[in-house]
Amino acid sequence: APTSVEIISSVPPFLVYADPLSVKVIYNLLENSLRHGGSGLSRIRIAAEERAGGELVVSIEDDGLGVPADQKELIFRHGFGKNTGLGLTLSREILSVTDIHLIETGVPGTGARFELHIPPQSWRKN
């Protein structure tokens, strides 16, 4: 495991209508970076951008090993993974209660990138 990891956040203030357990989802994504990013992991970047149509995309991206292309959906299945496989499955379910979609879009070998796609009606600038 890496000895020190820089966390960079460039997220403007906003409010999101989400399940209270969503905080645990963010924790789980950060913990996954630390656990699975490999010894070369040095940075985790958290960002948010408003996209066309008003969707907000919050990304949590690291510079670790990344997720192999053939596992990008498998990692969200119950029982898959190096530990219980429950973390990402539950994370996706918790977010889906309020129509927030969680996907992995990183480039294998250059890092993992998880995106939370928040619909326009579920967030506002603070």
Side-chain angles (χ1 to χ4, degrees):
T3 55
S4 113
V5 175
E6 179 182 20
I7 296 179
I8 303 163
S9 177
S10 57
V11 178
F14 59 86
L15 297 171
V16 176
Y17 170 71
D19 188 288
L21 288 174
S22 297
V23 174
K24 292 192 182 283
V25 171
I26 303 302
Y27 174 85
N28 183 49
L29 294 173
L30 292 170
E31 184 182 49
N32 278 351
S33 284
L34 295 173
R35 184 183 306 253
H36 303 296
S39 60
L41 176 72
S42 66
R43 184 180 343 100
I44 299 172
R45 180 180 305 275
I46 305 166
E49 70 170 311
E50 185 175 356
R51 295 204 177 155
E55 176 183 61
L56 181 70
V57 177
V58 176
S59 60
I60 298 174
E61 181 174 18
D62 66 45
D63 64 352
L65 297 172
V67 178
D70 62 345
Q71 294 181 10
K72 288 187 180 290
E73 269 307 305
L74 289 176
I75 59 174
F76 293 102
R77 289 203 188 145
H78 176 66
F80 183 84
K82 298 173 182 168
N83 293 303
T84 64
L86 198 60
L88 288 173
T89 302
L90 253 160
S91 293
R92 191 176 249 186
E93 288 176 15
I94 288 165
L95 294 173
S96 73
V97 168
T98 51
D99 291 325
I100 299 171
H101 300 284
L102 175 64
I103 59 173
E104 202 288 330
T105 62
V107 177
T110 64
R113 177 183 168 94
F114 287 91
E115 293 182 352
L116 289 80
H117 290 255
I118 305 167
Q121 69 274 14
S122 296
W123 75 278
R124 66 179 169 86
K125 294 176 183 169
N126 190 11

